[in-house]
């Protein structure tokens, strides 16, 4: 790299109202520059115009050298918005038939998919013999002649033999239309769900490709050496070139960006992250240092996508107070941003002189033409509840002036009205948080609320107080999403349906996942792979992630033992002196209090949280045998069979996760695969958590 000065990681988050861009020092992870521009939904170029404008402003900052940018990525709301708004291309599905053609046709054909009450999706269908290229070409020609703007090719067992799907995609592109296939969107079996997912992927493909190409061109023109990445719905990133095949993987990448920020910037290992934007709030659980995932459903239909479990509410820092006669009828979902209003807490008190209030919302028409809204942020400011220094902190006098004027109209006290606004908004947030706690059976005593987004300081303090839960506002909360994008890891997933998988088959799936992220730009020696085995569904899933090669040396300065112990004590809510320290490797150690264990790296970041973990210290040469013996010893037997423990292998600064093991031989083989090439005497550790049979 020719650029002088520190390496930079750049992150871009495309929000509903604003597009935020940040530059972060890759070594210290401190923000060196930030930019906010309006999101350009209505521009001819779409949201790409705002991305390009924000990037140009960032590069104009003297603190940012384009040649020093070692990583650049962006999130996008485009896929989500396209599906919600029905802004889709007309899709032609080409079913490739082989063997039991009648059964394949039934599985691949599906009816209209309702996306929202106002939007639906219904593709065209055609079929051809998979081994007849002439028939395949004719089928695609018929679909294009019928009005198809994008093609999705699907074949039974296309994940095992993708060549014929690939030939169909290549021919469609020769005809000048965008195309994708079933194996592009998922490596899992399930013909109907895979075909439906591929069709939805094709529906957003043309618009997403145009945006991706425009953004990538802007990065190249800026002489940035790093390839452009895009946020995935699982919190990782992929090369922007992947948009040409599978843009649907960016679904919910906006909320994923905030969660990535909570993990990598705020170092949240256990708790509930609440990102409060201007219009909406996203709530999600983080357990054992990992966000929680769920299968994605679109229009009530199953897809083969896994996304972060994010609960989105139509309440945010800019939610406007709704009126009904002489009473407050609700708060949101209308926001001040969308309504073209300024917040009462961000204007001067004199702006209310001579102002008149509208009939249906607490919006004042000022003499100078401005429309001033009373929002949840204004209510918190009026009551003095916004923490000092929070992004949501505004002019308390102005906020009170607005509520006093509203109180005169409604015949009520200003403070009582502000409390009512926060109570209505807080009730919605509390319900979502309580649901998450129940769904994941979280111990309430261990739950901490962490707020991100510009509106967190307005809503989270009062919600935490009424729920009697501890909370904190994240560092750089107002830009936590682009920070999360900038710090995210390259990620990919390989999933296979395998009956009684052998250790060799599991190792092969694991290597395929690792190879994918390396091909996408991850440094080979920084790749970690988590393996999940679902014996009931005969499914093996390998999730690989890693830092890009250009920034693989980026590390925060290490902390001393006192700081690391204090960090663990804060997580475990105890005195530092109560903790037992367990040395694992040269880079990682664990702290235990009673049943609870936290593994921290040299920077004091919690990488894993476990309960009732068995810790085995060994070396690379003996790890395979130790894994076999310890897994056998920790296996539990019950009336419905046996349950093998979850296994975690710690080497250096890396933790490999193996869940759903079905044999001790699998554990030994996976440990051997992970430690291949290591010196036999290299210290490693095994952690096991027993499961009930």
């Amino acid at each position: 790299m020719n650029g002088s000065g520190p390496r930079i990681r750049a992150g871009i988050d495309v929000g509903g109202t604003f597009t935020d861009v940040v530059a972060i020092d890759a070594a210290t992870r401190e923000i060196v520059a930030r930019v906010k521009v309006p999101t350009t939904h209505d521009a001819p170029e779409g949201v790409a115009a705002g991305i390009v404008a924000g990037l140009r402003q960032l590069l104009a900052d003297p603190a940012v050298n384009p040649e020093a940018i070692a990583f650049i990525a962006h999130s996008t709301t485009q896929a989500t918005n396209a599906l919600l708004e029905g802004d889709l291309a007309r899709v032609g599905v080409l079913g490739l038939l082989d063997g039991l053609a009648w059964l394949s046709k039934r599985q691949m054909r599906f009816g209209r998919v309702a996306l929202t009450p106002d939007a639906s999706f219904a593709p065209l269908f055609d079929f051809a013999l998979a081994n007849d290229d002439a028939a395949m070409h004719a089928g695609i020609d018929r679909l294009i002649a019928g009005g198809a703007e994008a093609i999705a090719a699907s074949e039974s067992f296309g994940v095992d033999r993708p060549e014929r799907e690939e030939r169909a995609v290549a021919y469609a592109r020769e005809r000048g239309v965008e195309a994708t296939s079933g194996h592009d969107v998922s490596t899992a079996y399930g013909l109907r769900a895979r075909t439906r997912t591929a069709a939805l992927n094709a529906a957003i493909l043309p618009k997403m490709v145009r945006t991706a190409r425009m953004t990538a061109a802007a990065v190249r023109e800026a002489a940035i050496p790093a390839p452009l990445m895009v946020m995935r719905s699982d919190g990782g990133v992929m090369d922007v070139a992947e948009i040409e095949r599978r843009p649907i993987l960016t679904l919910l990448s906006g909320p994923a960006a905030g969660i990535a920020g909570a993990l990598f910037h705020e170092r949240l290992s256990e708790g509930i992250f609440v990102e409060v934007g201007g219009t909406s709030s996203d709530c999600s659980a983080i357990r054992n240092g990992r966000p929680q995932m769920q299968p994605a459903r679109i229009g009530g239909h199953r897809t083969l996508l896994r996304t972060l479990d994010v609960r989105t509410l139509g309440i945010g820092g800019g939610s406007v107070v709704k009126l009904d006669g002489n009473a407050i009828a609700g708060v949101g979902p209308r926001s001040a941003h969308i309504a073209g209003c300024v917040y009462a807490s961000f204007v001067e008190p004199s702006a209310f002189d001579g102002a008149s209030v509208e009939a249906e919302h607490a919006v004042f028409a000022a003499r100078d033409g401005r429309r001033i809204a009373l929002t949840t942020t204004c209510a918190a400011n009026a009551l003095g509840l916004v923490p000092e220094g929070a992004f949501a902190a505004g002019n308390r006098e102005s906020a009170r002036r607005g509520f006093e004027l509203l109180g005169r109209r409604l015949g009520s006290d200003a403070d009582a009205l502000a409390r009512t606004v926060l109570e209505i908004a807080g009730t919605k947030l509390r319900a979502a948080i309580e649901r998450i706690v129940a769904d994941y059976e979280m111990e309430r005593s261990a739950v901490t609320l962490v707020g991100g987004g510009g509106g967190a300081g307005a809503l989270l303090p009062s919600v935490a107080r009424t729920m009697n839960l501890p909370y904190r506002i994240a560092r750089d909360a107002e830009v936590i999403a682009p920070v999360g994008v900038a710090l995210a890891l390259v990620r990919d997933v390989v999933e296979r349906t395998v009956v009684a998988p052998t250790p060799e088959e599991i190792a092969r799936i694991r290597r395929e996942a690792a190879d994918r992220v390396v091909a996408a730009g991850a440094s080979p020696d920084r790749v970690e792979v988590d393996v999940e085995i679902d014996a009931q569904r005969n499914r093996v899933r390998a999730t690989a992630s890693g830092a890009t090669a250009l920034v693989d040396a980026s590390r925060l300065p290490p902390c001393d033992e006192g700081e690391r112990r204090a960090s663990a004590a804060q997580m475990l809510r105890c005195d530092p002196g109560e903790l037992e320290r367990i040395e694992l490797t040269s880079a990682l150690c664990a702290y235990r209090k009673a049943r609870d264990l936290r593994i921290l790296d040299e920077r004091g970041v919690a990488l894993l949280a476990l309960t009732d973990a068995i810790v085995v210290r060994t070396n690379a040469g003996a790890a395979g045998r130790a894994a076999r013996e310890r897994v056998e010893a920790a296996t539990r037997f019950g009336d419905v069979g046996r349950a093998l423990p979850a296994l975690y292998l710690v080497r250096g600064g890396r933790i490999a996760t193996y869940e759903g093991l079905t044999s001790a031989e699998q554990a030994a083989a996976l440990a051997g695969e992970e430690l291949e090439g290591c010196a036999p005497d290299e210290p490693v550790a095994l952690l096991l958590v027993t499961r009930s049979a």
Side-chain angles (χ1 to χ4, degrees):
M1 183 177 297
N2 296 322
S4 60
R7 292 177 176 182
I8 296 293
R9 298 182 69 120
I12 306 166
D13 176 60
V14 182
T17 306
F18 293 106
T19 294
D20 290 299
V21 189
V22 299
I24 295 177
D25 185 307
T28 65
R29 300 200 180 185
E30 295 299 321
I31 295 175
V32 298
R34 62 181 78 190
V35 169
K36 185 185 291 287
V37 298
T39 298
T40 52
H41 296 293
D42 299 326
E45 306 88 350
V47 296
I51 294 174
V52 172
L55 181 59
R56 287 174 177 165
Q57 285 191 35
L58 185 79
L59 297 177
D61 191 305
V64 180
N65 178 359
E67 293 185 6
I69 295 179
F71 178 90
I72 180 168
H74 74 87
S75 73
T76 176
T77 59
Q78 196 167 20
T80 305
N81 291 343
L83 291 172
L84 291 176
E85 297 166 9
D87 185 13
L88 308 172
R90 188 75 189 276
V91 172
V93 174
L94 180 70
L96 300 174
L97 305 176
D98 196 5
L100 295 174
W102 63 272
L103 182 59
S104 295
K105 275 189 175 182
R106 285 184 58 185
Q107 289 294 311
M108 283 189 273
R109 191 187 292 274
F110 57 89
R112 183 176 294 275
V113 176
L115 303 174
T116 68
D118 302 318
S120 61
F121 168 70
L124 305 170
F125 289 90
D126 208 310
F127 297 90
L129 290 175
N131 59 0
D132 186 340
D133 281 4
M136 178 196 302
H137 295 173
I140 292 173
D141 290 341
R142 287 191 295 271
L143 289 169
I144 294 173
E149 301 166 302
I151 299 295
S154 184
E155 179 189 5
S156 298
F157 304 105
V159 296
D160 295 325
R161 51 186 189 202
E163 298 81 11
R164 295 187 287 206
E165 287 185 354
E166 289 172 348
R167 290 204 300 273
V169 167
Y171 177 72
R173 289 175 178 167
E174 288 176 13
R175 289 293 319 275
V177 299
E178 301 294 344
T180 187
S181 66
H183 80 272
D184 278 331
V185 297
S186 176
T187 58
Y189 294 145
L191 183 57
R192 184 187 298 276
R194 193 168 69 250
T195 302
R196 184 189 299 118
T197 308
L200 290 165
N201 189 52
I204 62 177
L205 194 54
K207 176 172 281 191
M208 293 286 288
V209 166
R210 286 194 297 271
T211 298
R213 289 174 179 169
M214 179 181 174
T215 310
V219 170
R220 288 193 300 271
E221 291 168 7
I224 293 172
L228 179 64
M229 299 282 181
V230 64
M231 198 83 191
R232 293 164 52 107
S233 57
D234 59 7
V237 295
M238 62 184 182
D239 193 293
V240 74
E242 290 294 295
I243 293 288
E244 311 257 347
R245 295 195 306 127
R246 41 186 185 164
I248 201 165
L249 294 189
T250 68
L251 197 69
L252 294 180
S253 78
I259 296 171
L263 289 169
F264 299 125
H265 191 58
E266 187 57 24
R267 307 176 186 182
L268 177 61
S269 62
E270 196 83 11
I272 295 177
F273 179 62
V274 184
E275 185 175 9
V276 184
T279 304
S280 61
S281 296
D282 298 318
C283 305
S284 49
I286 294 176
R287 304 184 67 197
N288 298 332
R290 290 174 170 81
Q292 303 305 295
M293 308 292 293
Q294 66 174 358
R297 301 185 73 86
I298 297 176
H301 297 276
R302 185 172 72 93
T303 70
L304 293 182
L305 301 174
R306 276 170 60 80
T307 64
L308 295 169
D309 184 4
V310 179
R311 318 290 172 92
T312 300
L313 310 170
I315 196 76
S319 295
V320 178
V321 178
K322 188 176 182 180
L323 305 176
D324 182 10
N326 291 327
I328 292 177
V331 181
R334 189 186 193 193
S335 74
H337 305 281
I338 302 302
C341 301
V342 295
Y343 291 32
S345 51
F346 298 137
V347 299
E348 65 283 2
S350 60
F352 290 97
D353 293 344
S356 58
V357 65
E358 295 180 0
E360 297 183 1
H361 293 90
V363 174
F364 300 90
R367 286 178 173 176
D368 60 7
R370 285 182 296 176
R371 299 177 69 238
I372 305 170
L374 286 178
T375 67
T376 53
T377 297
C378 303
N381 274 286
L383 295 170
L385 298 178
V386 181
E388 185 177 350
F391 188 77
N395 189 316
R396 184 178 183 185
E397 182 183 351
S398 296
R400 287 192 59 81
R401 182 82 186 275
F403 275 101
E404 287 169 355
L405 288 177
L406 181 65
R408 292 175 193 171
R409 173 185 155 174
L410 303 184
S412 182
D413 175 69
D415 286 354
L417 291 174
R419 284 193 293 270
T420 297
V421 169
L422 287 184
E423 176 58 30
I424 293 172
T427 297
K428 297 179 182 181
L429 269 179
R430 286 196 301 273
I433 293 168
E434 293 286 8
R435 184 73 263 168
I436 290 173
V437 171
D439 287 349
Y440 291 105
E441 299 178 347
M442 301 176 75
E443 292 187 21
R444 199 176 184 87
S445 61
V447 173
T448 296
L449 304 183
V450 177
L459 290 181
L460 205 63
S462 60
V463 168
R465 187 177 62 255
T466 56
M467 297 184 72
N468 196 29
L469 291 175
Y471 84 95
R472 68 177 185 267
I473 305 300
R475 186 164 51 108
D476 302 309
E478 66 277 11
V479 289
I480 195 73
V483 166
V485 176
L487 298 178
L489 300 174
V490 182
R491 182 168 296 164
D492 212 326
V493 179
V494 172
E495 187 174 305
R496 292 279 189 270
T497 301
V498 186
V499 178
T502 65
E504 292 75 18
E505 288 172 320
I506 297 170
R508 187 165 56 249
I509 294 168
R510 180 191 177 283
R511 283 194 297 271
E512 183 181 345
D515 289 345
R516 284 193 177 196
V517 296
V518 171
S523 179
D525 62 344
R526 292 289 300 278
V527 172
E528 297 183 7
V529 184
D530 291 346
V531 176
E532 300 173 67
I533 303 167
D534 189 334
Q536 291 186 328
R537 296 180 175 85
N538 299 317
R539 185 173 296 162
V540 179
R541 178 184 297 116
T543 303
S545 57
T548 60
L550 286 174
V551 293
D552 65 349
S554 300
R555 306 291 288 174
L556 281 177
C559 59
D560 60 28
E561 166 61 14
E563 292 170 320
R564 190 150 57 167
R565 180 176 287 271
S567 179
Q570 183 181 25
M571 298 171 199
L572 293 169
R573 300 185 184 178
C574 66
D575 185 271
E578 299 178 48
L579 295 174
E580 173 195 1
R581 177 187 167 105
I582 304 173
E583 202 73 35
L584 299 177
T585 68
S586 59
L588 301 180
C589 69
Y591 294 90
R592 190 198 297 272
K593 179 200 172 189
R595 301 170 54 202
D596 294 323
L597 187 81
R598 295 292 185 272
I599 297 179
L600 277 68
D601 66 12
E602 69 272 21
R603 300 163 295 159
V605 176
L607 303 182
L608 189 63
L610 299 175
T611 301
D612 290 333
I614 301 167
V615 180
V616 180
R617 288 177 291 183
T618 180
N619 57 50
R625 182 178 67 254
R628 180 188 297 108
E629 294 172 353
R630 293 293 184 152
V631 165
E632 286 180 349
T635 297
R636 297 290 177 261
F637 296 87
D639 295 337
V640 295
R642 62 177 186 162
L644 278 75
L647 174 66
Y648 305 87
L649 191 156
V650 184
R651 174 206 168 196
R654 300 164 55 177
I655 302 174
T657 302
Y658 309 109
E659 296 184 347
L661 293 167
T662 59
S663 72
E665 287 70 29
Q666 285 179 348
L670 288 166
E673 173 79 13
E674 179 69 29
L675 299 173
E676 185 176 357
C678 293
D681 60 350
E682 180 178 338
V684 300
L686 305 174
L687 294 94
L688 302 96
V689 178
T690 58
R691 300 285 186 254
S692 300

